[in-house]
Amino acid sequence: MAGLLSVRDLSIEFTTYGQTNRVLHGVSLDVDARAQIALVGESGSGKSVTMKAIMGLLRQPPARITGGSILFDGQDLLTMPESARLALRGTAMSMVFQDPMSSLNPVFTIEDQLGTILKYADRRLGRNRDRRGRRERVLEVLDKVRMREPERVAASYPVMLSGGMRQRVLIAMALLSEPRLLIADEPGTALDVTTQAQILRLLKDLVAAQGLALLMITHNLGVVRETSDYVYVMHRGQVVEHGATAAIFAAPKTDYTRDLIAAVPRLTGGSRYGSAAGRGARA
Amino acid sequence: MTERPVLPMTSGYQTWYRFSRNPTALIGATIVILAVLAALLAPWITPYPDHAGAVVNFRARHLPPSIEYWFGTDNVGRDQFTRCIFGLRVSLTLAFVVLAIAVPFGTILGLLAGYFGGWTEIVIMRLTDIALAIPPLVMALAVAAVLTPSLVNAMLAIAILWWTWHTRLVYSLTRQIRAQEFVEAAETLGASRFHILFREILPNCVGPIAVKTSLDAGFVILVGASLSFLGLGIQPPTPDLGTMVASGAAFLPDHWWESVLPGAVILILALGFNLLGDGLRDLFDVEDA
Amino acid sequence: MTAPVLELRGLTKHFPRRGGFFGRVTGLVRAVEDVSLTIARGEVYGLAGESGSGKSTIARMLMGLEVPTGGEIRLNGAPLPNRKISPVQMVFQNPGASLNPRRTVGQSVAVPLAVAGIAGAAQTARVAELLDMVRLPGDFAQRFPHELSGGQKQRVAIARALAVTPELLVLDEPTSALDVSVQARVMDLLVDLGQDLGLTYLFISHDLSLMRNFADRVGVLYQGRIVETGPVARVFESPDNDYTRLLLASVPVISDEEAALRPVIPMIDGEIPTAEALMALRRAEQDRTKEGRK
């Protein structure tokens, strides 16, 4: 399988209040076409910074990329001219945002918002599509994300939709221009667990049906197991371990990963809390 | 690798860091500080301190700006520069007193209306609405006309309506803050109403109140200058910027410096407070993010 | 036999739905409908539910922040006393929002102490004692919330809630905003404190894996009603109710054993169904069975 996205030795530092800190120390990861990869880490691990760097959403300053490369289809995104980079974003490579409540503009209908995004994406790709063509495409993606009444949803304002439906709209937004890589930022974190299960299932099915590659950013190990074949574990700006999901869970190689997995409560019971449970004193 | 000095990342340090790199805030603060210092040290830093009183110097009437008289002289030969500096005293005192009355009064009303709701809210907010419907300058004119024109009465005239803006601001802030969990926690922990209003809610309002007060200072000075322009403020011979603009207007355009320069001082002073307020707002906005 | 710490009988809360031009009451939002449960001393009772299930409304009624529309709340056999310091205290979900950002940790923890008349040196000593109890260093009393991590803020919230020894401690999603390793430490602390101080907990959460390892008994809330209740092992291993089964099936798990424990839910339109769809399906099946029998 051809390598679609390849991050090599990426290092980033942040400068705030006159002080500079290294946030990423030589991070490398690969996403092949049609692969389902997870990037897992706790807060402060650097997974969000990595994702933003890949999508080109990192504000420089206060951030500064001090080394490494991000190759998409063999081309380095960091040395590419800005126009070429923009042409890729939202088209070949697109993102599903985390918070469905705040990611949609409340004063425009779904059709307006998706239509506008499509219009600008078309422009970047040099494609010509009229209003009717755009509407068709919008309804088409809404149907792909299993919206029961696409026309009604298209005519609605975000406030009229439930959290789960809004998240589907965000996924639809990412699919508009037939991307090859979908980056999902903590999908479903802001939703109920039953709705999250639906959304994760939808993502899996979509990715398989459309032949997309999926890079899932999450802090939830259960989500990793459900959605990904390969996982990168990040801690303090470094990839501490990576491998096939089943292998990592069965036999983690580093202490950090081992402790992380041990900290997850089990549905079967048996992860009782408290010092008496023999987990060792925690300060 | 050399050891970089670790800077103390207290919130005070962070605030100072941002403030010192915000040009708007710095320029505004500089203007205000200089004005306050000039007003305080007026008798010692002005070239002709006695010109601030009832001195006449007919030989030096209507002289244009020069090395001797930096801002020129007025129609009785007094140094304009000195009088402008002394005029700052009047403007700044006015702003200080008006706001010292209006801000606490308006803030307390806003807190009460926002926290208690019900009839308290209705009465206070409708009263505020009525007061807001009266044009401040007209009200000030009416008050000044009833009472004899003086600095104190001018301050009264402005303060009497100024509190309403602060009530509105603090009311909406209180309503937002009241819904936050730490207020509910304080309630269930048995905190008294006084504690909740003044120790939990009010500290969270300080930012926007500070911004508004600073911006207000500029406006109060302008209103005060307008009042004295119309002859309703402090009476001569005490130097006052608005009065100077008015009396100098009679000699436009030949002796332009008698009207324009005091006007410019008013402008710069109001601008300073505005910039400071804007800068403070930038500072607080980021903090709250 | 001593009365249970908490007893809810038919607890109900309706909110008026206002609509139309003049804000007329156009209907009712049935936030909590006929909820009954008991919690014995020293027990951990888990309330499992998603958004809109009524769990937060129940917590607020227990704390005296809302007044029930119907039913009763009994604390140690008597109605909720109308005291300044509520005998039911809560640790809120969002650690950032439950502490006043403009007051130090020490000042926030001292709020109930001042109300109880503990001041001066005694207050300082008690604050230090409480911070020590939640395993935070004493000098944290001078720090502001924004200088603390999420886990540390939650410990401060726990310390404050315990300051005046409540009868019942409600934990409303106390760790859902925290990383899993921090969550483990906070949960350890809660269990240890519960044992050392003989605390009784009402634990509200949508995280069923966490519930399994912390609660003794569990009640599943759906649209304001308790649809299933019982010892946590029984409910999780053999759930009776469709909604419980749907909840269990939706939990993302990290091992095959856990995956095997989850009930199998029939797909509708190639998707995991919503609760309403699942129940409609069940009703349709039951109707068909009835028809078949005729």
Side-chain angles (χ1 to χ4, degrees), chain A residues 7 23 40-41 83 106-107 117 130 134 149-150 196 203 205 248 271:
Chain A
V7 177
V23 182
V40 73
S83 52
V107 300
I117 292 173
D130 67 347
R134 287 200 291 269
E149 295 164 288
Q196 182 187 44
L203 272 176
D205 291 344
I248 296 278
S271 350

Side-chain angles (χ1 to χ4, degrees), chain B:
Chain B
M1 189 168 92
T2 49
E3 274 291 315
R4 288 212 201 97
V6 178
L7 304 160
M9 275 298 146
T10 60
S11 66
Y13 177 81
Q14 289 179 2
T15 311
W16 167 249
Y17 187 94
R18 285 215 312 279
F19 187 85
S20 57
R21 275 158 182 74
N22 184 335
T24 323
L26 283 179
I27 296 175
T30 310
I31 295 177
V32 170
I33 292 174
L34 285 179
V36 170
L37 283 177
L40 285 174
L41 302 172
W44 296 281
I45 60 168
T46 48
Y48 303 90
D50 43 320
H51 284 204
V55 157
V56 291
N57 190 9
F58 281 109
R59 238 168 304 154
R61 294 168 68 189
H62 295 308
L63 290 178
S66 63
I67 308 279
E68 268 191 280
Y69 302 106
W70 293 350
F71 279 14
T73 58
D74 63 1
N75 63 331
V76 290
R78 294 176 293 198
D79 176 38
Q80 291 266 90
F81 179 74
T82 305
R83 290 180 64 79
C84 280
I85 299 292
F86 274 86
L88 281 178
R89 288 189 156 187
V90 175
S91 298
L92 288 171
T93 309
L94 180 82
F96 182 77
V97 172
V98 168
L99 292 174
I101 299 172
V103 174
F105 187 62
T107 301
I108 293 178
L109 283 185
L111 279 173
L112 294 175
Y115 185 71
F116 290 110
W119 279 111
T120 317
E121 175 183 348
I122 293 176
V123 167
I124 293 179
M125 294 319 289
R126 298 297 81 84
L127 199 69
T128 310
D129 285 341
I130 294 171
L132 276 169
I134 306 174
L137 202 52
V138 172
M139 177 62 144
L141 281 172
V143 170
V146 168
L147 307 166
T148 52
S150 71
L151 179 61
V152 170
N153 291 337
M155 296 195 285
L156 185 69
I158 302 174
I160 212 169
L161 285 184
W162 210 268
W163 56 267
T164 51
W165 300 100
H166 284 264
T167 305
R168 270 271 180 94
L169 173 70
V170 175
Y171 167 72
S172 91
L173 283 174
T174 304
R175 297 237 313 192
Q176 283 169 34
I177 295 169
R178 185 185 65 167
Q180 301 241 341
E181 286 169 350
F182 64 83
V183 174
E184 291 188 333
E187 285 171 0
T188 50
L189 291 164
S192 68
R193 302 241 183 89
F194 180 88
H195 171 100
I196 292 181
L197 284 176
F198 293 101
R199 303 248 165 78
E200 301 282 348
I201 297 182
L202 184 58
N204 284 284
C205 299
V206 166
I209 292 178
V211 172
K212 176 131 184 58
T213 306
S214 182
L215 292 173
D216 273 356
F219 282 115
V220 170
I221 289 171
L222 287 174
V223 174
S226 312
L227 278 184
S228 50
F229 182 87
L230 297 169
L232 296 167
I234 196 163
Q235 296 303 297
T238 319
D240 174 280
L241 294 168
T243 319
M244 288 164 78
V245 174
S247 50
F251 306 105
L252 287 170
D254 299 312
H255 306 295
W256 56 270
W257 56 89
E258 296 177 36
S259 197
V260 168
L261 292 178
V265 174
I266 298 175
L267 174 73
I268 293 173
L269 185 61
L271 187 67
F273 279 108
N274 277 4
L275 289 178
L276 180 62
D278 270 346
L280 285 177
R281 180 174 40 216
D282 287 343
L283 209 64
F284 284 114
D285 270 348
V286 179
E287 218 173 61
D288 290 336

Side-chain angles (χ1 to χ4, degrees), chain A:
Chain A
M1 286 292 175
L4 188 57
L5 177 74
S6 194
V7 177
R8 289 262 155 274
D9 267 332
L10 188 63
S11 294
I12 298 180
E13 58 184 34
F14 261 77
T15 307
T16 42
Y17 301 113
Q19 210 159 346
T20 303
N21 292 307
R22 223 14 141 69
V23 182
L24 282 189
H25 301 83
V27 167
S28 300
L29 62 90
D30 288 289
V31 181
D32 294 337
R34 296 169 168 275
Q36 297 179 18
I37 314 283
L39 186 57
V40 73
E42 300 189 294
S43 46
S45 58
K47 60 186 194 301
S48 305
V49 175
T50 309
M51 172 196 74
K52 288 201 183 132
I54 295 173
M55 280 300 293
L57 295 174
L58 210 55
R59 284 246 196 97
Q60 305 184 52
R64 198 169 74 93
I65 299 182
T66 55
S69 57
I70 303 177
L71 300 165
F72 187 79
D73 248 357
Q75 291 179 296
D76 190 352
L77 298 178
L78 300 177
T79 54
M80 215 182 254
E82 189 63 22
S83 52
R85 182 102 191 250
L86 273 176
L88 280 178
R89 194 197 303 168
T91 51
M93 168 167 58
S94 69
M95 188 157 126
V96 180
F97 289 87
Q98 174 177 356
D99 186 2
M101 308 304 157
S102 59
S103 298
L104 291 171
N105 193 330
V107 300
F108 291 104
T109 62
I110 303 298
E111 185 177 344
D112 278 342
Q113 293 188 56
L114 264 57
T116 309
I117 292 173
L118 189 56
K119 181 166 76 172
Y120 288 112
D122 280 345
R123 223 178 263 182
R124 288 202 291 272
L125 294 173
R127 208 184 282 177
N128 209 339
R129 213 191 311 231
D130 67 347
R131 164 111 44 112
R132 179 130 46 97
R134 287 200 291 269
R135 181 177 158 80
E136 268 175 35
R137 178 69 184 153
V138 167
L139 291 175
E140 196 184 331
V141 290
L142 286 177
D143 182 60
K144 282 215 179 89
V145 296
R146 296 182 192 143
M147 285 289 200
R148 220 137 296 151
E149 295 164 288
E151 284 96 357
R152 194 179 66 81
V153 170
S156 308
Y157 288 89
V159 69
M160 301 179 192
L161 305 175
S162 71
M165 289 170 87
R166 278 186 252 191
Q167 184 76 75
R168 285 173 205 256
V169 167
L170 289 185
I171 298 175
M173 226 158 74
L175 293 175
L176 278 172
S177 294
E178 284 149 9
R180 308 224 308 278
L181 170 65
L182 200 63
I183 301 182
D185 179 18
E186 313 257 15
T189 308
L191 302 171
D192 286 330
V193 65
T194 50
T195 318
Q196 182 187 44
Q198 284 181 325
I199 296 294
L200 291 177
R201 175 106 210 167
L202 172 66
L203 272 176
K204 263 188 89 84
D205 291 344
L206 271 175
V207 161
Q210 310 279 316
L212 302 170
L214 176 69
L215 177 60
M216 167 99 57
I217 319 285
T218 181
H219 64 274
N220 187 324
L221 288 172
V223 168
V224 170
R225 189 181 167 281
E226 307 270 318
T227 59
S228 319
D229 304 317
Y230 200 87
V231 61
Y232 289 85
V233 180
M234 280 189 75
H235 178 56
R236 296 228 188 114
Q238 286 178 304
V239 175
V240 295
E241 191 165 346
H242 60 98
T245 312
I248 296 278
F249 279 114
K253 284 178 235 128
T254 57
D255 282 340
Y256 176 73
T257 317
R258 211 191 323 266
D259 288 340
L260 195 62
I261 294 174
V264 176
R266 302 302 168 108
L267 195 60
T268 43
S271 350
R272 300 304 295 190
Y273 293 104
S275 354
R279 284 166 141 245
R282 295 183 202 273

